[in-house]
Amino acid sequence: MKEILKTFGENLFSLKTMKEIVSSDVYESLVATIYAGKALDSSIAGEVAQAMKDWAIDNGATHYTHWFQPLTGSTAEKHDSFLKPDGKGGAIAQFKASELSMGEPDASSFPSGGLRATFEARGYTAWDPTSPAFLKKVDGVVTLCIPTIFCGYNGEALDMKTPLLRSINVLSEQVCRLGEYFGIDSTDKRASATLGCEQEYFLIDHSFYVERLDLLQTGRTLFGNTPAKHQQLDDHYFGAIKSRILVFMSEVDRELWKLGVPAQTRHNEVCPSQFEIAPLFEELNLAVDHNMIIMEVLRSVAERHGFACLLHEKPFAGVNGSGKHNNWSVTGTDGKNWLTPGDDPHENAKFLAMICALMKAVDTWAPLLRSSVATAGNDHRLGANEAPPAIISIFLGEQLFDVIEQIEKGKAESSKSGGQIAIGISSLPPMPRDATDRNRTSPFAFTGNKFEFRAPGSSQNTSAVNFILNTIVADALEEMCDEIDAAIADGVDFNAALQTCLHEIVKKHKRILFNGDNYTQEWQDEAAKRGLPNLRTTPEALASLVDEDSIALFEKYSILTRAELESRYEVHMEAYRMAIRIEADTAVTMARTLLPLPVIEFQKELATGIKASEEYGCEMKEGKLLLQEISREFENLMAKTKVLENTSIINTEETIAAMNDLRETVDRLEHLTPKELWPLPSYAEMMFMI
Ligand code: ADP
Ligand code: MG
């Protein structure tokens, strides 16, 4: 461990590294940009570039890249060499300020949703100094990666990071404004959102992976029967980790630590061959970048260990899929977590104000929040019989719920059992200190000091989720502060004004609270009665991204313009249609090129066997029935393949139905055909032979 501690962050161009090599003015200027949100002083770029290049080259780098997050949801990089001819027949290593600050990759092939015609291919990347550069080392090839935003010629956002950075500032402004009522001075400081992403994933042996065209092409199995034993016994969850897996996990941790990613927990998940990694939470923008790095490291280390890492939301039907729990909180300019009940009346009032802001935000903008997790892969989790449902609701736990009910009644004085914190003179109720009760079925759960949004899919870039979450919470806070200001202007004292504000919020938005089991039909019925939206599919959910209220919200805070939102909608819809089409085409290819021969082979052998047996006087009644069933299913296979082939990319519902229909036949055939003839590795092999 001592050795590891020494190597923490060694591949990271951190402030700590920089402090040693840049002048103190440049260092102070960067600190002000990173921690106080001051605009970047462009005159420092030259010195930073020089230091960054020297450090990278000392560590073996030959190339640098602007590392950005286009709307594909993954990361993108285009490597440039530091090497420049010196004009005298030799070469020098060079990295100019302009090369650090700005890049111009040919952007014509990145999705822009019509924001930019292909012939106007220019796209620009711009340095994000709030996320440190790092070295990517692959088999001795070292590349300096510089996190950047990515935008078009007129500054239109073409990536995931731009709206996220904008939303972080907007949230900070409103949090600071709330803080003022509580005497928290935010001059030259900024509040930050914090994020800890729990990343679920599957590992299977690489030899099985290459045998499954569906996994290679779509990330999930399109065919396959759930084995007799899978996750029913709950014997995998938190179970002892197999040695081969542990060695893999250990290498993942070490790689991440070198990159300054604070990997913290590792464990077996519910389904066999499913696992989880979670880092310690960090500032939001950094945590999002780190999650992208975690996914990449998982994939590459898996390959080195003879595994394939599956990050799809639903690699296997009939068992749990994978999510990415988005643990979100707010740290104020006092350095404290504002979602922790505090020790004194002031802090509790602030805490309850934040809880109510969340209630108001999530209830008002539930469809928007739902849209942030809408992808083809995630449709297999949300709205299916699996955590969490497509209905957005909040779990607060019994004790906090009780406090909220008291606020609703307008005379909140007592608290249910549990170590209470006296609130003294304030008119707000005492707070339960420990809200550790858990509800695993809730999509948006308060877990004592943060909110855990459980709907994001395992493969997602969480920027999409968090720029929306930040914006809706900022909006709720702004409205609350406006109301409180108006009341104070009318001579009402702050405590009373806050009390009234929270009382009104609870009355209006209490319907969003649900502490029960979210998987039940009763909840679906109850939610419908309460008028909570239940947007089951991606197209339904994405529509809310471009409704007039959403556009007004994002334009109000300059997060995204109408055109940018419309482009995002187009990109996400296209990605959805494409994902379904690729699945359909892959299923057709497999059904045509892999499956017929083995089935006919089996038919032939059966027929021969039956005939031969009959010659010896055997009855062979069941044998004939089996042969008939197989030939019937073979006909179905061909007929259903044709149907699927003829579906259109536009009609996704019809395509999904045709795919499911074909799957039924294929899975039946897998069930009937001898193992040695079936051309695809089985679920049992993939899940258990690791
Ligand atoms: P569980 O599985 O019980 O939900 P874990 O410990 O696996 O919890 O993960 C919880 C995640 O929440 C971790 O990444 C942790 O760092 C993060 N977290 C804890 N406190 C905060 C906070 N204040 N803000 C954001 N994330 C937090
Ligand atoms: Mg969790």
Side-chain angles (χ1 to χ4, degrees):
M1 190 71 199
K2 276 190 189 150
E3 276 313 300
I4 288 173
L5 290 178
K6 273 191 228 151
T7 61
F8 183 84
E10 76 171 19
N11 292 336
L12 190 69
F13 193 61
S14 62
L15 273 177
K16 186 170 151 236
T17 312
M18 247 185 281
K19 194 171 184 184
E20 288 163 16
I21 43 184
V22 299
S23 64
S24 59
D25 286 356
V26 167
Y27 176 78
E28 294 303 333
S29 169
L30 268 174
V31 167
T33 298
I34 296 169
Y35 293 111
K38 283 258 164 66
L40 180 70
D41 171 4
S42 53
S43 70
I44 67 168
E47 195 178 327
V48 176
Q50 175 81 18
M52 212 185 253
K53 177 204 71 183
D54 291 345
W55 171 80
I57 289 175
D58 283 348
N59 284 285
T62 53
H63 289 67
Y64 70 93
T65 179
H66 281 194
W67 184 77
F68 59 103
Q69 299 166 24
L71 296 176
T72 54
S74 43
T75 56
E77 47 191 76
K78 175 192 157 222
H79 298 193
D80 272 291
S81 161
F82 289 120
L83 186 139
K84 308 270 166 11
D86 64 1
K88 299 174 201 141
I92 53 163
Q94 195 183 56
F95 185 47
K96 292 191 275 195
S98 56
E99 290 168 316
L100 166 65
S101 307
M102 184 95 118
E104 196 192 326
D106 177 357
S108 54
S109 294
F110 289 111
S112 77
L115 253 192
R116 187 204 45 206
T118 317
F119 57 85
E120 298 162 353
R122 261 188 279 192
Y124 295 91
T125 49
W127 178 34
D128 167 18
T130 61
S131 181
F134 57 93
L135 295 175
K136 200 195 269 192
K137 296 184 174 171
V138 181
D139 292 337
V141 180
V142 185
T143 310
L144 171 69
C145 297
I146 302 158
T148 60
I149 60 156
F150 178 50
C151 59
Y153 186 65
N154 296 316
E156 58 277 24
L158 296 174
D159 70 344
M160 306 294 244
K161 195 189 257 275
T162 303
L164 183 72
L165 291 176
R166 292 173 182 162
S167 75
I168 287 172
N169 288 337
V170 165
L171 179 68
S172 169
E173 266 169 43
Q174 299 307 325
V175 169
C176 291
R177 188 171 163 201
L178 180 70
E180 274 173 31
Y181 299 122
F182 297 95
I184 298 166
D185 176 28
S186 300
T187 319
D188 285 341
K189 289 188 204 150
R190 69 169 176 171
S192 51
T194 50
L195 176 70
C197 284
E198 296 161 65
Q199 177 71 51
E200 293 180 330
Y201 60 95
F202 279 83
L203 287 177
I204 62 168
D205 195 278
H206 200 264
S207 61
F208 294 136
Y209 180 68
V210 294
E211 291 291 311
R212 298 275 326 200
L213 188 65
D214 44 7
L215 285 179
L216 282 167
Q217 293 269 285
T218 73
R220 75 180 183 101
T221 53
L222 300 171
F223 306 124
N225 287 302
T226 320
K229 177 181 186 290
H230 45 93
Q231 63 185 47
Q232 310 94 318
L233 303 178
D234 286 330
D235 51 352
H236 193 253
Y237 190 55
F238 283 13
I241 303 171
K242 280 189 186 171
S243 57
R244 185 180 171 202
I245 305 291
L246 191 57
V247 173
F248 157 83
M249 287 176 163
S250 166
E251 191 173 325
V252 167
D253 285 343
R254 279 161 199 246
E255 284 228 354
L256 289 173
W257 289 333
K258 283 188 199 164
L259 287 163
V261 180
Q264 172 106 27
T265 60
R266 56 189 191 201
H267 63 82
N268 287 359
E269 257 303 325
V270 171
C271 183
S273 80
Q274 189 186 27
F275 309 94
E276 181 184 298
I277 177 169
L280 205 63
F281 70 94
E282 297 176 282
E283 186 280 320
L284 181 53
N285 175 43
L286 194 58
V288 170
D289 282 358
H290 281 175
N291 179 254
M292 298 308 287
I293 292 175
I294 288 175
M295 289 196 283
E296 192 172 330
V297 168
L298 283 173
R299 279 202 202 96
S300 63
V301 176
E303 247 176 63
R304 284 207 291 281
H305 286 249
F307 293 122
C309 175
L310 309 179
L311 289 166
H312 192 282
E313 283 71 18
K314 194 78 174 178
F316 302 105
V319 292
N320 271 22
S322 299
K324 174 143 49 196
H325 295 175
N326 192 88
N327 294 276
W328 178 97
S329 187
V330 167
T331 298
T333 50
D334 55 357
K336 292 185 180 164
N337 177 355
W338 285 16
L339 286 176
T340 312
D343 289 326
D344 61 43
H346 257 51
E347 294 208 342
N348 281 329
K350 200 174 71 195
F351 167 73
L352 289 173
M354 288 301 294
I355 295 288
C356 288
L358 261 300
M359 282 174 63
K360 180 176 164 72
V362 173
D363 187 33
T364 311
W365 301 103
L368 205 47
L369 206 51
R370 168 68 182 90
S371 80
S372 74
V373 294
T375 64
N378 222 13
D379 276 3
H380 295 282
R381 299 172 63 235
L382 313 175
N385 284 331
E386 170 169 351
I391 306 166
I392 305 283
S393 69
I394 298 180
F395 168 82
L396 285 184
E398 209 185 314
Q399 294 176 338
L400 191 49
F401 184 74
D402 183 60
V403 174
I404 293 295
E405 285 202 307
Q406 292 180 51
I407 294 178
E408 186 187 19
K409 287 180 200 126
K411 52 176 183 58
E413 285 150 359
S414 68
S415 163
K416 280 201 164 179
S417 61
Q420 289 180 9
I421 302 157
I423 203 154
I425 45 159
S426 171
S427 50
L428 290 168
M431 283 306 314
R433 209 183 226 301
D434 192 6
T436 48
D437 45 346
R438 293 253 159 171
N439 180 329
R440 291 269 162 209
T441 69
S442 173
F444 204 92
F446 181 65
T447 50
N449 60 353
K450 61 189 185 299
F451 276 94
E452 179 170 346
F453 186 31
R454 302 201 176 106
S458 48
S459 70
Q460 263 191 277
N461 179 320
T462 51
S463 290
V465 169
N466 288 296
F467 91 76
I468 289 179
L469 190 51
N470 291 345
T471 309
I472 63 178
V473 175
D475 186 55
L477 284 172
E478 171 156 60
E479 270 189 36
M480 288 163 67
C481 292
D482 285 349
E483 274 169 32
I484 293 169
D485 280 355
I488 292 174
D490 282 348
V492 179
D493 89 83
F494 167 67
N495 268 350
L498 179 66
Q499 179 93 357
T500 307
C501 172
L502 301 192
H503 172 73
E504 293 300 325
I505 289 178
V506 171
K507 261 196 345 201
K508 188 161 171 204
H509 299 289
K510 197 181 147 202
R511 65 172 191 161
I512 196 73
L513 301 182
F514 181 61
N515 282 348
D517 184 349
N518 282 254
Y519 299 168
T520 59
Q521 184 57 45
E522 288 81 65
W523 169 233
Q524 305 245 340
D525 300 341
E526 165 69 18
K529 263 191 233 145
R530 293 190 193 181
L532 300 178
N534 185 2
L535 306 171
R536 284 169 200 275
T537 65
T538 291
E540 280 176 275
L542 282 179
S544 46
L545 202 55
V546 282
D547 71 27
E548 288 302 319
D549 287 349
S550 306
I551 293 173
L553 171 77
F554 290 118
E555 290 205 321
K556 176 176 174 193
Y557 293 103
S558 303
I559 307 284
L560 288 173
T561 61
R562 176 184 294 271
E564 286 170 327
L565 281 161
E566 283 170 354
S567 91
R568 256 153 234 262
Y569 172 75
E570 280 309 319
V571 169
H572 297 327
M573 275 304 288
E574 184 61 10
Y576 174 74
R577 288 190 208 109
M578 235 10 132
I580 305 287
R581 193 65 239 161
I582 290 169
E583 287 183 351
D585 290 347
T586 306
V588 167
T589 304
M590 291 170 79
R592 286 214 179 283
T593 63
L594 285 175
L595 307 180
L597 211 56
V599 176
I600 290 176
E601 189 70 23
F602 182 39
Q603 265 178 292
K604 199 172 77 190
E605 287 201 20
L606 253 184
T608 318
I610 289 169
K611 209 168 162 198
S613 305
E614 277 180 337
E615 277 169 20
Y616 287 97
C618 303
E619 193 184 349
M620 294 312 288
K621 191 168 140 221
E622 289 298 327
K624 279 184 201 157
L625 284 176
L626 176 61
L627 181 59
Q628 277 159 9
E629 184 173 1
I630 290 169
S631 55
R632 228 178 12 252
E633 291 298 1
F634 183 77
E635 292 303 307
N636 282 339
L637 174 73
M638 291 295 113
K640 290 179 178 184
T641 303
K642 266 188 212 147
V643 172
L644 182 56
E645 228 166 9
N646 289 325
T647 51
S648 100
I649 185 162
I650 300 297
N651 196 340
T652 47
E653 262 178 56
E654 190 185 74
T655 310
I656 293 170
M659 241 187 320
N660 290 341
D661 201 26
L662 173 61
R663 178 175 192 142
E664 226 173 78
T665 297
V666 173
D667 289 355
R668 182 75 193 141
L669 279 169
E670 181 191 23
H671 196 66
L672 297 171
T673 311
K675 175 80 201 89
E676 69 266 23
L677 290 179
W678 194 249
L680 299 169
S682 70
Y683 270 28
E685 287 167 318
M686 288 187 281
M687 284 180 195
F688 290 93
M689 291 174 65
I690 51 167

